[in-house]
């Protein structure tokens, strides 16, 4: 897949105010400061698309980007889809009431957005399995929402540690999951995992369109 255009569309405080559900949609979510904006910018090859910040909890709304892509460079059959940047879960310096409001907004979006085809859950590959990530993964399983695990920041740690942490996370999941989801190890700096994620999106788009 080759992305020809990626534009910011709108930031919505609730699912009812999101754009019409008329295109395939892919959401990205993870703990605060997991490298979500950097990954989105890397996928779209636009460093100014999603705003990056060193402050956890900066993303507070449902951010829609409209993407135009083709199956290969030079092709003329364009696909149009939404990429969604969701607020991070977990640590953020906000009040309990605000945090609950965010959680409710995210839950409503994930469960009610009818054109949502895949959620990419970002997990920091530098760390051993975190309860917060496992709880979120299990919650999506209960809601029967398709997802892919995206292990980020693989360039920040040696390969052995990254592989060990990924394996440990999957082993934790195996305790309660019969089938494990797809997973991708990524680095925004090294462009690692970009082609695999875009290929997954392209294949899902083709399945939906019946190609």
């Amino acid at each position: 897949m080759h992305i020809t255009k990626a534009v910011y569309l709108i930031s919505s405080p609730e699912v009812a105010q999101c754009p019409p559900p008329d295109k395939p949609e892919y959401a990205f979510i993870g703990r605060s400061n997991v490298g979500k904006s950097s990954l989105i910018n890397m996928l779209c090859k636009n460093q100014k698309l999603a705003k990056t910040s060193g402050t956890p909890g900066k993303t507070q709304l449902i951010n829609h980007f409209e993407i135009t892509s083709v199956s290969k460079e030079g092709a003329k059959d364009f696909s149009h889809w939404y990429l969604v940047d969701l607020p991070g879960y977990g640590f953020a310096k906000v009040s309990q009431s605000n945090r609950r409001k965010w959680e409710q907004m995210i839950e409503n979006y994930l469960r009610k957005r009818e054109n949502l085809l895949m959620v990419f859950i970002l997990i920091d590959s530098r760390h051993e399995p975190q309860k917060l990530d496992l709880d979120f993964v299990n919650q999506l399983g209960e809601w029967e929402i398709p997802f892919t695990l995206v292990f980020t920041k693989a360039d920040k740690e040696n390969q052995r540690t990254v592989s060990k942490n990924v394996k440990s996370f999957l082993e934790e999941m195996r305790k309660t999951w019969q089938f494990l989801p797809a997973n991708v190890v990524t680095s925004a700096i090294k462009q690692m995992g970009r082609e695999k994620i875009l290929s997954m999106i392209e294949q899902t788009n083709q399945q939906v369109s019946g190609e």
Side-chain angles (χ1 to χ4, degrees), residues 1-2 69-73 75 77 79 202 206:
M1 176 193 282
H2 177 67
S69 63
V70 289
S71 57
K72 58 185 177 183
E73 202 158 353
D77 294 326
S79 296
E202 180 179 35
Q206 289 172 348

Side-chain angles (χ1 to χ4, degrees), residues 13-206:
E14 56 185 70
V15 66
Q17 295 179 32
C18 288
D22 55 1
K23 297 177 183 65
E25 190 155 298
Y26 302 86
F28 289 74
I29 191 170
R31 295 181 66 149
S32 298
N33 216 20
V34 75
K36 182 161 46 69
S37 297
S38 297
L39 181 82
I40 289 171
N41 291 343
M42 180 266 279
L43 290 175
C44 298
K45 288 198 170 179
N46 182 345
Q47 294 308 309
K48 296 181 180 178
L49 191 65
K51 293 178 182 176
T52 58
S53 170
T55 307
K58 196 71 175 174
T59 304
Q60 300 180 18
L61 300 168
I62 303 167
N63 300 300
H64 271 78
F65 300 89
E66 187 170 0
I67 312 296
T68 304
S69 63
V70 289
S71 57
K72 58 185 177 183
E73 202 158 353
K76 295 181 180 178
D77 294 326
F78 293 97
S79 296
H80 301 276
W81 45 280
Y82 291 130
L83 185 156
V84 179
D85 181 7
L86 290 173
Y89 54 83
F91 172 80
K93 292 180 179 177
V94 294
S95 66
Q96 197 65 36
S97 60
N98 269 355
R99 185 177 300 186
R100 182 59 199 142
K101 192 168 75 173
W102 284 1
E103 289 171 352
Q104 194 60 59
M105 173 182 71
I106 293 169
E107 178 178 342
N108 287 339
Y109 167 80
L110 292 172
R111 301 183 76 176
K112 295 179 180 179
R113 189 67 172 164
E114 58 200 71
N115 60 325
L116 177 63
L117 301 182
M118 177 71 68
V119 177
F120 291 92
I121 304 177
L122 276 59
I123 296 161
D124 194 329
S125 69
R126 299 174 298 175
H127 305 307
E128 293 181 353
Q130 304 288 307
K131 183 178 183 299
L132 201 59
D133 292 321
L134 289 164
D135 286 348
F136 188 78
V137 163
N138 290 333
Q139 186 67 77
L140 283 195
E142 286 181 24
W143 293 339
E144 298 184 350
I145 296 170
F147 65 88
T148 293
L149 301 176
V150 178
F151 293 93
T152 63
K153 302 187 178 183
D155 58 287
K156 308 286 188 186
E157 191 54 87
N158 64 66
Q159 191 175 349
R160 185 175 178 180
T161 301
V162 169
S163 298
K164 175 174 162 287
N165 290 336
V166 170
K167 184 180 178 183
S168 295
F169 194 93
L170 297 176
E171 284 176 351
E172 282 297 321
M173 283 191 68
R174 243 184 221 105
K175 293 175 182 177
T176 52
W177 288 73
Q178 183 178 3
F179 302 106
L180 295 180
N183 72 86
V184 188
V185 177
T186 68
S187 162
I189 301 293
K190 295 184 176 180
Q191 307 272 304
M192 186 192 305
R194 182 176 186 271
E195 293 304 321
K196 187 172 180 181
I197 291 174
L198 293 181
S199 177
M200 292 171 76
I201 291 174
E202 180 179 35
Q203 287 173 17
T204 307
N205 281 345
Q206 289 172 348

